[in-house]
Amino acid sequence: QVQLVESGGGLVQAGGSLRLSCAASGRTFSNYAMGWFRQVPGKEREFVAAISWCGGSKDYADSVKGRFTISRDSAKNTVYLQMNSLKPEDTAVYYCAVRAGVAYSRFPSSYDYWGQGTQVTVSS
């Protein structure tokens, strides 16, 4: 199976920045998309951003547009989430996921593999 290893989470002040990394290993697909989701207590897992590995097309949730940037490094088989101008409402557990196929998706149920999650806390 595909394994996803995340890093980069932590504590940051409002207005600051963090970069999350997610490295994929094991069996890979010819065409796939990778996405970032987040979840807070009492709420469902929420779409943040996604990228098509082949074409590089990107999609962002309205709440993070202009602040977050998703990117990939093909040589390292790694996807990144650069988070700038962080707000307290960005506080959540962030998850990396992989979806077989060319198209990305905003729905968690569409993804086949998930990372363990990493905590991001933004202080006021």
Side-chain angles (χ1 to χ4, degrees):
Q1 293 191 125
V2 173
Q3 293 179 306
L4 304 175
V5 180
E6 298 163 308
S7 62
L11 175 65
V12 66
Q13 292 181 327
S17 299
L18 283 174
R19 189 179 76 160
L20 305 183
S21 299
C22 177
S25 62
R27 183 181 180 273
T28 58
F29 305 102
S30 298
N31 301 104
Y32 59 94
M34 297 185 70
W36 288 97
F37 294 79
R38 64 189 183 187
Q39 189 168 26
V40 299
K43 297 186 68 176
E44 294 184 334
R45 194 162 296 184
E46 176 189 24
F47 169 77
V48 176
I51 186 169
S52 171
W53 204 260
C54 182
S57 300
K58 302 174 182 179
D59 188 30
Y60 296 95
D62 289 341
S63 60
V64 305
K65 285 182 179 178
R67 299 189 298 119
F68 291 10
T69 302
I70 189 169
S71 62
R72 55 165 164 74
D73 187 330
S74 297
K76 297 180 179 179
N77 210 24
T78 299
V79 65
Y80 304 95
L81 185 68
Q82 179 66 45
M83 304 184 293
N84 298 327
S85 301
L86 283 163
K87 305 174 181 179
E89 49 262 45
D90 294 318
T91 296
V93 177
Y94 283 71
Y95 297 89
C96 178
V98 174
R99 179 177 188 260
V102 174
Y104 43 65
S105 173
R106 294 189 173 196
F107 300 97
S109 60
S110 298
Y111 287 79
D112 301 291
Y113 301 97
W114 292 85
Q116 79 287 350
T118 184
Q119 178 69 46
V120 172
T121 302
V122 184
S123 64
S124 301

